[in-house]
Amino acid sequence: MSFILFSLLTVIKKVPKLTSEIFYLISFSVLVLFNFFVNQQSQIDDITKIFGGIVIFTASFYLCRGEYTVKKNERIKLIFIALLPFFIFVIDTIFGYKESENAMSIFSNSNNYIFFSICCIWLMMLYDFSRKLVLSFTALSLAVTSTLGAFLALNIAAVFYFRKKIFSPQFFIFFSIAASVGIILIIYSDLYLFERIRGTANVFYTLISDYNINEFADIGFGDAMAMSGSNDGSDVSFLFRIKIWTESLTYFLNQNIIIMLFGLGFGATPEINSFGLVAHNDYLTWLIEFGFFGFTLIVYGIWKGFLKLKDTIFIIPYLAILIYFFTENLFYNFFAIAIFSFCLALTLQKIKNENFTD
């Protein structure tokens, strides 16, 4: 922890003047420290993960300034890093080396795997990889992980990027064909990802048809499984997310004003819901554990990043990750946030140096 704080101070000392970015990072760091010392729930490993992301972003943004030429061997290294988890996954599958049935290569689950893959997609864009290679890697990652949330997030982000062109004749024909192919795959394909979409749709339709929202809390796992027709429970995961969100938010909003402003402390969410699980929603986690002050500060930083990236192609991985934050628990994953912080810092510098728009 001392090393991380020393590193942050060293980087800040390299900056010639107090910029708005540095002021924001200092404000957020002070809030994190205050939260840690005030709340008994806060754990040292959680605050270390948070500061790790802050340090990596600060160092990448302020120590990587100026024009930068990507060399061929760096592209080769990125391909190796991006594909390494896939090769390990293949070996795991063939020889049965997985530590648990939920493990996905070197990651604890498929959600962390796809988060890593989206960051690799982002780096490929920054390193000027060809569009075909980026799309091929994206398709491979989605096929391996079968993560419904990432599939939807990437598609929504892509539609947002092409929002100004989508009704032009050329793009309208392309999107019409793509939408038709997608609908056919969703209805008829036996691929696991599309089976999940059908199962989730069945659960959602049954819920809104046969239940009131007040009755969601009484629906059991077996009932939801019967609605979906699945055997592994993956199609009903969103239902239990809703139940955890409802319980956690209700508990938080019934606290005193001090707790609502400053939060319950890092890692407190599993303690306040009947499942004993994380929220699987990073925005809700920020609100509950950081309070309204911390939540507002984090969302402000995210929004500023969105405004800078919204007219560039880098908005696709950035927005996809922001959407994915709604249904996953990624903020306390040090490895994932470290890569995310690095990608965001390099992107902001690239835009700043090149006045980049696309």
Side-chain angles (χ1 to χ4, degrees):
M1 186 66 199
S2 299
F3 172 76
I4 290 176
L5 290 175
F6 176 77
S7 301
L8 179 61
L9 291 174
T10 302
V11 173
I12 291 175
K13 287 176 63 177
K14 294 280 187 179
V15 182
K17 62 180 181 179
L18 182 64
T19 62
S20 59
E21 294 88 354
I22 282 292
F23 180 77
Y24 174 83
L25 290 169
I26 292 175
S27 301
F28 182 58
S29 300
V30 170
L31 184 68
V32 170
L33 284 173
F34 178 83
N35 190 307
F36 174 73
F37 287 113
V38 169
N39 290 301
Q40 296 180 352
Q41 290 281 358
S42 298
Q43 302 294 321
I44 187 66
D45 58 333
D46 291 329
I47 191 175
T48 303
K49 294 173 185 176
I50 297 170
F51 270 112
I54 294 174
V55 170
I56 289 171
F57 175 86
T58 309
S60 302
F61 187 78
Y62 287 102
L63 302 184
C64 298
R65 289 176 290 181
E67 296 293 333
Y68 182 72
T69 303
V70 179
K71 300 178 182 177
K72 182 178 180 180
N73 66 330
E74 292 175 332
R75 290 192 175 94
I76 295 174
K77 290 177 183 177
L78 176 55
I79 292 175
F80 175 78
I81 292 171
L83 291 177
L84 180 61
F86 171 72
F87 292 134
I88 296 175
F89 169 75
V90 172
I91 294 172
D92 285 348
T93 303
I94 294 173
F95 295 101
Y97 288 151
K98 293 182 180 179
E99 294 183 3
S100 72
E101 61 180 16
N102 296 319
M104 176 67 71
S105 185
I106 58 177
F107 302 98
S108 58
N109 54 51
S110 59
N111 297 317
N112 286 282
Y113 189 145
I114 196 64
F115 185 92
F116 168 82
S117 296
I118 294 174
C119 288
C120 288
I121 292 167
W122 195 347
L123 283 174
M124 288 178 178
M125 292 178 173
L126 287 167
Y127 280 27
D128 298 321
F129 277 67
S130 68
R131 186 170 297 179
K132 290 182 180 179
L133 188 58
V134 175
L135 290 174
S136 298
F137 178 74
T138 304
L140 175 65
S141 300
L142 289 172
V144 169
T145 58
S146 297
T147 46
L148 178 58
F151 175 77
L152 295 175
L154 283 167
N155 277 279
I156 293 171
V159 169
F160 176 83
Y161 172 66
F162 289 109
R163 65 194 183 280
K164 296 179 181 178
K165 304 177 182 178
I166 196 169
F167 291 109
S168 64
Q170 178 184 358
F171 280 89
F172 184 77
I173 294 172
F174 171 79
F175 278 110
S176 298
I177 295 173
S180 300
V181 172
I183 292 172
I184 292 172
L185 289 172
I186 290 172
I187 295 174
Y188 297 107
S189 176
D190 292 330
L191 288 175
Y192 181 63
L193 176 62
F194 298 110
E195 288 182 346
R196 284 196 63 190
I197 294 176
R198 290 196 295 272
T200 301
N202 289 336
V203 176
F204 184 74
Y205 177 77
T206 304
L207 284 175
I208 61 175
S209 301
D210 300 344
Y211 296 89
N212 295 320
I213 192 169
N214 295 330
E215 299 175 316
F216 282 8
D218 300 324
I219 301 173
F221 188 77
D223 297 329
M225 287 275 287
M227 296 177 201
S228 69
S230 69
N231 296 318
D232 61 1
S234 58
D235 303 331
V236 301
S237 60
F238 82 95
L239 171 64
F240 291 92
R241 281 175 166 80
I242 293 174
K243 294 176 75 170
I244 291 173
W245 298 345
T246 304
E247 288 183 14
S248 302
L249 186 59
T250 300
Y251 180 92
F252 174 75
L253 294 177
N254 284 315
Q255 302 303 302
N256 61 57
I257 187 64
I258 301 299
I259 290 179
M260 292 177 65
L261 290 177
F262 296 101
L264 290 165
F266 311 138
T269 306
E271 306 293 330
I272 64 173
N273 67 77
S274 60
F275 293 89
L277 298 175
V278 294
H280 287 87
N281 182 324
D282 281 318
Y283 296 96
L284 183 59
T285 298
W286 297 334
L287 176 62
I288 291 172
E289 300 185 6
F290 287 79
F292 282 107
F293 283 154
F295 174 81
T296 302
L297 197 58
I298 294 173
V299 171
Y300 172 78
I302 288 174
W303 176 248
K304 293 292 288 185
F306 173 82
L307 292 178
K308 290 181 181 295
L309 272 62
K310 66 183 179 69
D311 293 321
T312 75
I313 196 168
F314 306 116
I315 192 61
I316 295 178
Y318 181 70
L319 182 57
I321 291 171
L322 297 188
I323 295 171
Y324 207 37
F325 279 162
F326 274 106
T327 59
E328 298 304 329
N329 181 60
L330 300 169
F331 183 68
Y332 287 122
N333 184 319
F334 175 78
F335 185 54
I337 290 300
I339 299 176
F340 173 76
S341 301
F342 177 71
C343 290
L344 179 58
L346 287 188
T347 303
L348 292 175
Q349 274 296 354
K350 183 179 180 69
I351 294 172
K352 184 177 181 180
N353 293 336
E354 303 178 11
N355 194 23
F356 184 89
T357 57
D358 186 11

